[in-house]
């Protein structure tokens, strides 16, 4: 297993649209393991392949308090969304230290392959629903700050670039 480097906003690679996973093979299973290890190490609840610079449709999530309910979703597709939406405070491992409100469906059903290539439908609500929608956005090249006002987004961009310059010193 390996901890993978996470791309940081505003890295342009975060805006890459991911391609479907062609085959759930050993390489994909290894990537899933590495992504889970990376997510747990960073104390995150979700991670998209896009964030580790792999542009294939795969996300990992674990919203459990015990950190023992890992979910691997390969080629996820929304098959149902609830009529209602909710404003939730979100953060992202690619935008460290920034939290802001984003509207998401209250509940979603997602069809995806698991790490064994088996197709199933996950019925997600509450935090899991928010997390899955956030991670699926990453696969479309979308970071949550893009839902915020241009003013806020530019402030975040400036802050991130400044932090990176200080890190490089
Ligand atoms: Ni994120």
């Amino acid at each position: 297993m390996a901890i993978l480097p996470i791309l940081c906003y505003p890295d342009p690679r975060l805006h890459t649209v991911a391609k479907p996973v062609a085959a759930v093979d050993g390489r994909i299973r290894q990537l899933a393991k590495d992504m889970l290890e990376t997510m747990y190490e960073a104390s995150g609840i979700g991670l998209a392949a896009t964030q580790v610079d792999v542009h294939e449709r795969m996300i990992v999530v674990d919203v459990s308090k015990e950190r023992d309910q890992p979910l691997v979703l390969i080629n996820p597709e929304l098959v149902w969304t609830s009529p209602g939406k909710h404003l939730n405070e979100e953060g992202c491992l690619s935008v460290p230290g920034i939290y802001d409100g984003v509207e998401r469906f209250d509940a979603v059903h997602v069809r995806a392959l698991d790490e064994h290539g088996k197709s199933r439908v996950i019925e997600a609500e509450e935090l899991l629903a928010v997390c899955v929608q956030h991670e699926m956005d990453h696969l479309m090249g979308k970071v949550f700050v893009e839902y915020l006002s241009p003013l806020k987004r530019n402030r975040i961009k400036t802050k991130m670039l400044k932090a990176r310059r200080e890190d490089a010193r």
Side-chain angles (χ1 to χ4, degrees):
M1 300 232 276
I3 306 283
L4 306 169
I6 299 175
L7 298 180
C8 259
Y9 185 80
D11 191 309
R13 289 171 289 181
L14 285 169
H15 304 302
T16 312
V17 176
K19 294 191 175 83
V21 169
V24 183
D25 53 14
R27 178 186 67 93
I28 287 295
R29 270 187 288 278
Q30 186 59 50
L31 177 62
K33 278 184 195 161
D34 291 344
M35 282 172 60
L36 280 166
E37 195 185 3
T38 303
M39 178 190 78
Y40 287 128
E41 207 262 342
S43 304
I45 59 170
L47 188 69
T50 309
Q51 293 175 275
V52 294
D53 204 20
V54 175
H55 302 287
E56 296 177 61
R57 294 185 56 82
M58 168 153 73
I59 65 175
V60 297
V61 297
D62 186 347
V63 297
S64 71
K65 211 172 257 165
E66 297 75 21
R67 319 292 284 147
D68 59 358
Q69 307 283 321
L71 265 181
V72 177
L73 303 184
I74 298 165
N75 296 340
E77 302 293 342
L78 283 181
V79 292
W80 177 83
T81 55
S82 62
K85 280 192 172 184
H86 225 90
L87 193 68
N88 304 275
E89 178 121 308
E90 290 186 20
C92 179
L93 293 177
S94 292
V95 200
I98 303 293
Y99 301 88
D100 215 318
V102 178
E103 267 207 341
R104 302 284 187 187
F105 294 111
D106 296 327
V108 293
H109 294 179
V110 179
R111 188 190 304 280
L113 301 176
D114 67 12
E115 64 271 42
H116 309 293
K118 203 175 156 221
S119 175
R120 53 184 180 155
V121 174
I122 283 92
E123 300 187 359
E125 51 184 31
E126 298 178 356
L127 184 57
L128 181 59
V130 173
C131 184
V132 164
Q133 290 171 81
H134 174 116
E135 301 311 332
M136 284 179 71
D137 269 358
H138 276 301
L139 301 179
M140 296 305 296
K142 188 159 188 175
V143 180
F144 85 103
V145 296
E146 288 167 71
Y147 289 101
L148 310 178
S149 70
L151 181 71
K152 266 191 183 170
R153 195 163 57 242
N154 280 327
R155 257 188 219 148
I156 293 167
K157 219 177 255 183
T158 306
K159 199 174 162 182
M160 292 292 127
L161 289 170
K162 188 166 171 259
R164 194 182 301 171
R165 274 197 303 275
E166 277 163 11
D167 276 355
R169 251 176 227 158

